Amino acid sequence: MALVVQKYGGTSVANCRRIKRVAQKVIARKEEGDDVVVVLSAMAGQTNYLLGLAMEMQAQPDKRELDVLLSTGEQVTISLFSMAVKSLGHDARSFLGYQIPVETDDSHSKARIQNIPTDKLAEAIDKGIIPVVAGFQGVTTDGDITTLGRGGSDTTAVAVAVALGADVCEIYTDVDGVYTTDPNICPSARKIERISYEEMLEMASLGAKVLEIRSVEFAMRYGMPIHVRSSFTSAPGTMVVKEDESMEDVLVSSVTYSRDEARITVKKVPDRPGIAAMIFNPISEANIIVDMIIQNTRAGDLTDMTFTVPKADFDQAMSIVEKTAQDIGAESVAGDKNIAKVSIVGVGMRNHAGIASKMFDILAKHNVNILMISTSEIKVSCIIDEKYTELAVRALHEGFGLDKKE
Ligand code: ASP
Ligand code: MG
């Protein structure tokens, strides 16, 4: 008998029919003898819908009020779900964040969980009642409602699992696991059976959208195994777990891509101490996150500074940088939105040489020009022209032997 926390995402509870189906699934698991705690997202599209309403009131909605509004999406699904369970002859009880309480700090719209007392959940479990927890929401010590950031129900689920000392946190979604790359652009992508937290974290930050990053960080910190699986089948999905030795035999475990970045180059910057700080301080003050940075030296004490920012922040970043360029006497600023980042990820890279150069070879063979490169212990990323994204992903997937073996 195990204690399992199951989280169902928005598509799994998108309408009454699906909510009933999830209720049946949960009950079936309980009847097998496991204790189940359920965490739910809002119905698919609901949080965006509410956000749209808020924007009609205020261009920049008040954060405290926005959290009160957005948290209602999950209130709808947990209550409907509990009714569905009862209609099937079992007992369930819904819990809003403040009722448990899921205690958070007061940073509205991106609150951090600080503590989850387990007495109420444990009491329900003891009585054979299925606790149904609203994802994504918490409460401050002053009693204000908070939300954890978009996709935050994953974090609620992992945090509840850790607090209860559950055996596993199962995240049910509309895909049947974590894939070696995006199956939509690479039909030969395979489902990965087991992957380490670190690889999953890299993949999430490099563009893979299966799990919310913070939930993986949380799980890694407390060693909580996550099982990512589909709510539409009963097939096992992907286990996200602590790294083990066998994982190091696989050099590259996945290929990811992101079209969410843009590139900015400041040309002919006078090369003297303090210049990088002058360029990047105003950007970080505007809360824009810079990812890759490259500095190329030119003749005559001049240098080019190239970096990437999120595409959504490109226009703002450009106007900030154009002003800085004037102040420091740089020649010009150039921007390019049509770029993509393709990356290979694998813990095996730590102990094997030549992975990066193999990546460059594969891209060269397919005539894909590399614009920027960055590496970490377990990943290599290349910025390329956006129009080669799919070609590059397929070539790397095949080149590193990740294709499905028929
Ligand atoms: N409903 C929230 C969102 O759409 C939280 C979640 O689904 O995880 O971001
Ligand atoms: Mg989600």
Side-chain angles (χ1 to χ4, degrees):
M1 194 177 110
L3 174 58
V4 182
V5 173
Q6 297 191 334
K7 179 258 172 178
Y8 292 88
T11 46
S12 310
V13 292
N15 53 48
C16 291
R17 194 172 43 84
R18 289 192 181 172
I19 290 177
K20 285 181 188 167
R21 201 167 51 191
V22 172
Q24 284 164 348
K25 253 180 110 87
V26 169
I27 288 171
R29 184 67 167 267
K30 188 148 173 34
E31 286 177 346
E32 283 169 20
D34 289 336
D35 282 328
V36 187
V37 176
V38 176
V39 176
L40 298 181
S41 287
M43 290 182 180
Q46 184 64 16
T47 309
N48 285 338
Y49 167 73
L50 293 168
L51 196 56
L53 294 184
M55 309 269 267
E56 286 195 32
M57 299 301 137
Q58 251 186 320
Q60 297 261 352
D62 179 271
K63 287 197 165 166
R64 179 187 182 278
E65 302 311 326
L66 187 61
D67 278 353
V68 173
L69 179 70
L70 295 190
S71 64
T72 62
E74 276 72 10
Q75 181 161 354
V76 171
T77 49
I78 58 168
S79 51
L80 290 176
F81 180 87
S82 302
M83 293 173 201
V85 169
K86 285 170 191 275
S87 81
L88 293 166
H90 276 256
D91 208 358
R93 176 169 304 156
S94 63
F95 290 93
L96 289 163
Y98 78 85
Q99 293 176 309
I100 295 178
V102 176
E103 296 165 10
T104 71
D105 64 14
D106 60 3
S107 37
H108 286 288
S109 84
K110 50 174 190 295
R112 295 201 157 255
I113 295 177
Q114 288 172 330
N115 184 36
I116 303 184
T118 54
D119 42 324
K120 288 193 184 140
L121 298 174
E123 189 190 323
I125 296 169
D126 280 349
K127 290 185 180 152
I129 300 169
I130 298 168
V132 186
V133 177
F136 178 54
Q137 56 179 264
V139 64
T140 67
T141 39
D142 291 342
D144 280 330
I145 292 173
T146 53
T147 63
L148 309 180
R150 297 306 305 270
S153 299
D154 290 356
T155 298
T156 306
V158 173
V160 166
V162 168
L164 286 169
D167 296 284
V168 62
C169 180
E170 299 183 338
I171 306 255
Y172 287 84
T173 174
D174 50 0
V175 294
D176 55 6
V178 179
Y179 273 70
T180 48
T181 194
D182 180 357
N184 295 315
I185 71 169
C186 185
S188 55
R190 282 182 298 113
K191 185 168 79 188
I192 301 172
E193 263 173 50
R194 284 162 64 79
I195 191 162
S196 68
Y197 294 121
E198 278 156 301
E199 287 168 302
M200 194 64 236
L201 272 183
E202 283 285 5
M203 288 170 69
S205 64
L206 293 168
K209 298 199 168 75
V210 198
L211 285 177
E212 188 223 8
I213 291 184
R214 274 169 64 186
S215 68
V216 185
E217 287 169 352
F218 216 106
M220 179 157 101
R221 187 164 352 127
Y222 296 99
M224 174 56 61
I226 300 181
H227 186 176
V228 185
R229 57 196 305 188
S230 164
S231 58
F232 303 107
T233 71
S234 55
T238 301
M239 290 301 299
V240 186
V241 289
K242 260 198 205 87
E243 182 180 334
D244 63 40
E245 274 165 27
S246 69
M247 290 178 178
E248 298 220 333
D249 299 340
V250 185
L251 303 189
V252 170
S253 53
S254 70
V255 178
T256 63
Y257 67 94
S258 157
R259 296 187 174 108
D260 299 336
E261 284 176 48
R263 184 169 63 132
I264 297 177
T265 302
V266 194
K267 290 188 186 157
K268 294 198 183 169
V269 180
D271 198 1
R272 56 166 197 266
I275 227 64
M278 288 182 75
I279 293 176
F280 292 110
N281 285 350
I283 301 177
S284 67
E285 271 156 28
N287 256 325
I288 296 174
I289 293 168
V290 172
D291 181 23
M292 290 191 204
I293 302 176
I294 287 183
Q295 183 177 343
N296 304 90
T297 314
R298 288 177 178 251
D301 285 343
L302 292 174
T303 185
D304 286 352
M305 197 76 90
T306 304
F307 54 93
T308 60
V309 294
K311 228 173 235 179
D313 297 325
F314 176 74
D315 292 334
Q316 196 193 353
M318 275 299 275
S319 58
I320 293 172
V321 174
E322 269 159 4
K323 182 171 177 310
T324 315
Q326 278 188 353
D327 294 348
I328 61 178
E331 186 196 76
S332 60
V333 180
D336 183 2
K337 280 201 206 182
N338 300 318
I339 58 162
K341 178 163 75 177
V342 291
S343 311
I344 53 174
V345 176
V347 285
M349 267 181 227
R350 278 204 284 256
N351 302 322
H352 295 85
I355 313 262
S357 55
K358 181 167 175 182
M359 177 181 196
F360 308 150
D361 273 343
I362 294 169
L363 293 176
K365 272 201 201 92
H366 289 80
N367 265 322
V368 176
N369 190 31
I370 300 170
L371 306 172
M372 296 173 86
I373 299 166
S374 81
T375 64
S376 79
E377 223 188 357
I378 64 163
K379 72 119 201 269
V380 184
S381 298
C382 293
I383 297 287
I384 61 170
D385 189 329
E386 183 173 13
K387 64 175 182 276
Y388 299 125
T389 312
E390 303 192 357
L391 170 70
V393 168
R394 289 190 201 118
L396 292 168
H397 195 263
E398 196 204 329
F400 281 103
L402 294 175
D403 275 2
K404 235 183 263 176
K405 296 174 187 62
E406 299 301 340

